């Protein structure tokens, strides 16, 4: 029945205050009953008044109070007062039994899943037949001697889940890998039908260590692949001094250079002179000027002859670079030096000459 039909029942539609009173009694706080939302006719002489719910966490819910009256009655009576969801109300998910509500990953440490006798993923295990050969293969090699084993449905479901998951060939790591797990030395094969498609990774450096992986899966820790060489991300700067480029310089020696062992102290080069050249005394006489004292300039009788100094230039004061030196034997050189020291100056007067002049 529509609201228009409900308006014909003036007794019930006018019972708004009565309905609010019961809604306030039902709510925890009077402020939880909000504005009036209208009336809806639920049947003959049956009308529901609705108020917005202002309680925290009940957005979109409505307080609903249903009133009724007897035939030809003029008094409204409250039949029911409840809190019902309206349009856009937050509702709990539809209830499901645990067997349908449980999802992978919901089982934590200490949780126990109830036994399911009719699990379609399992089927009875191997029943010994008495044939030693068959029983040996089924029990020892295939490990089928259990109460229940995987059925075809359970095996197909597991294969599909593994192959399409993160350990299959379509994962990001497998697409970026250089080679597949089939050729990796860390792959441990599985037995049975699943062993034709899957194995277990035993590489601690792999992100799939200890997990079931498809044979066409892959990762960067493959045992037979290597990294591609590339230039360093930190190039070396050029050296301040290039010690790898050596410039060869030819140093020529003069023909008349003196060997190192014959050179004088202080790295002074001595020029060799031929033996047949002038002696040292003559060279000194030619090169070193001797200051002569004229005889006529010396007063007679005032200055003794022995007090008139003969100005000589010592041989030691002559620069070595300007005087050629004879390379004579040591004994001969000593003799020449002694002669030069004993010989008087050529131009200086001697004691005898001074005496003769006085006479």
């Amino acid at each position: 029945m529509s609201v228009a039909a409900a308006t014909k029942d003036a007794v019930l539609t006018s019972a708004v205050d009565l309905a609010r009173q019961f809604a306030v009694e039902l709510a925890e706080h009077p402020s939880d009953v909000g504005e009036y939302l209208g009336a809806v006719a639920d049947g003959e002489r049956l009308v529901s008044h609705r108020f917005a719910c202002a309680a925290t966490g009940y957005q979109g819910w409505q307080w609903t109070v249903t009133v009724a009256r007897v035939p030809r009655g003029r008094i409204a009576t409250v039949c029911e007062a409840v809190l019902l969801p309206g349009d856009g109300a937050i509702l709990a998910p539809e209830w499901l039994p645990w067997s349908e509500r449980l999802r992978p990953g919901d089982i934590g440490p200490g949780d126990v899943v109830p036994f399911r006798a009719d699990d379609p993923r399992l089927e009875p295990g191997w029943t010994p037949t008495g044939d030693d050969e068959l029983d040996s293969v089924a029990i020892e090699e295939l490990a089928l001697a259990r109460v229940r084993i995987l059925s075809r449905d359970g095996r197909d479901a597991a294969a599909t889940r593994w192959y399409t998951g993160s350990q299959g060939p379509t994962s990001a790591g497998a697409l970026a890998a250089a080679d597949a797990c089939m050729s990796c030395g860390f792959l441990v094969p599985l037995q049975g039908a699943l062993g034709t498609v899957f194995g277990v990774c035993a590489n601690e450096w792999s992100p799939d260590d200890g997990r079931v992986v498809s044979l066409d899966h892959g990762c960067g820790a493959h045992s037979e692949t290597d990294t591609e060489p590339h230039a360093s991300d930190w190039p070396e700067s050029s050296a301040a001094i290039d010690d790898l480029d050596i410039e060869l310089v030819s140093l020529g020696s003069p023909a008349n250079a003196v060997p190192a062992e014959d050179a004088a102290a202080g790295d002074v080069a001595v020029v060799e002179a031929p033996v047949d050249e002038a002696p040292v005394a003559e060279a000194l006489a030619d090169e070193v000027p001797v200051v002569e004292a004229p005889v006529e300039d010396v007063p007679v009788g005032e200055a003794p002859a022995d007090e008139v100094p003969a100005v000589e230039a010592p041989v030691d004061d002559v620069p070595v670079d300007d005087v050629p030196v004879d390379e004579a034997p040591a004994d001969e050189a000593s003799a020449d030096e002694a002669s030069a020291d004993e010989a008087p100056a050529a131009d200086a007067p001697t004691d005898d000459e001074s005496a003769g002049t006085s006479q």
Side-chain angles (χ1 to χ4, degrees):
M1 184 181 295
S2 63
V3 177
T7 57
K8 295 181 181 180
D9 197 332
V11 176
L12 299 180
T13 55
S14 61
V16 176
D17 295 338
L18 177 64
R20 179 180 288 275
Q21 179 182 353
F22 274 85
V24 171
E25 292 178 359
L26 182 62
E28 184 177 0
H29 302 286
S31 60
D32 292 342
V33 180
E35 61 180 346
Y36 179 66
L37 300 179
V40 177
D42 296 327
E44 186 178 358
R45 295 185 298 275
L46 190 65
V47 176
S48 295
H49 297 275
R50 298 189 176 186
F51 304 89
C53 179
T56 304
Y58 287 86
Q59 181 180 0
W61 288 67
Q62 301 173 357
W63 299 103
T64 304
V65 180
T66 304
V67 295
R69 67 178 180 84
V70 298
R72 297 183 182 184
R74 299 298 179 180
I75 300 175
T77 304
V78 175
C79 299
E80 184 182 33
V82 293
L83 181 63
L84 298 177
D87 296 337
I90 300 177
L91 301 176
E94 184 180 357
W95 183 87
L96 294 173
W98 71 265
S99 58
E100 300 179 11
R101 186 170 62 251
L102 196 63
R103 292 291 180 266
D106 292 344
I107 306 300
D111 295 338
V112 179
V113 179
F115 176 79
R116 293 182 60 182
D118 57 347
D119 194 333
R121 300 171 299 174
L122 299 174
E123 64 183 10
W126 178 263
T127 301
T129 61
D131 189 335
D132 294 338
E133 184 177 356
L134 292 178
D135 292 344
S136 175
V137 173
I139 296 175
E140 297 179 6
E141 296 183 12
L142 301 180
L144 301 179
R146 289 167 287 167
V147 178
R148 292 189 296 179
I149 60 174
L150 275 177
S151 64
R152 175 182 287 273
D153 294 340
R155 186 168 56 249
D156 293 345
T160 302
R161 186 171 61 252
W162 295 345
Y163 200 78
T164 58
S166 58
Q167 285 78 45
T170 58
S171 63
L175 295 177
D179 207 344
C181 295
M182 182 183 299
S183 58
C184 182
F186 295 103
L187 181 72
V188 179
L190 294 179
Q191 293 181 347
L194 292 176
T196 60
V197 184
F198 301 99
V200 177
C201 179
N203 187 354
E204 61 179 338
W205 297 107
S206 172
D208 303 318
D209 181 33
R211 299 182 179 182
V212 175
V213 295
S214 64
L215 299 182
D216 49 0
H217 181 67
C219 70
H222 195 282
S223 63
E224 309 305 325
T225 60
D226 196 1
T227 58
E228 296 182 1
H230 63 281
S232 174
D233 295 334
W234 303 93
E236 296 182 359
S237 59
S238 58
I241 299 177
D242 188 2
D243 55 356
L244 299 178
D245 187 8
I246 302 176
E247 180 181 0
L248 300 179
V249 179
S250 176
L251 299 177
S253 58
N256 57 352
V258 180
E261 59 270 16
D262 298 334
D267 296 336
V268 178
V270 180
V271 181
E272 298 180 357
V275 179
D276 55 354
E277 291 185 359
V280 176
E282 296 179 0
L284 292 175
D286 296 339
E287 297 291 337
V288 181
V290 179
V291 179
E292 299 179 358
V295 177
E296 59 272 16
D297 293 340
V298 180
V300 178
E302 295 181 359
D306 53 354
E307 293 182 2
V308 178
V311 180
E312 297 179 0
V315 179
D316 296 337
D317 295 337
V318 179
V320 180
D321 294 341
D322 299 334
V323 180
V325 180
D326 292 336
E327 289 189 359
D331 297 337
E332 295 178 6
S334 300
D336 293 339
E337 291 176 358
S339 301
D341 294 337
E342 295 175 359
D347 298 331
T350 63
D351 295 340
D352 297 338
E353 290 177 354
S354 300
T357 306
S358 300
Q359 296 175 359

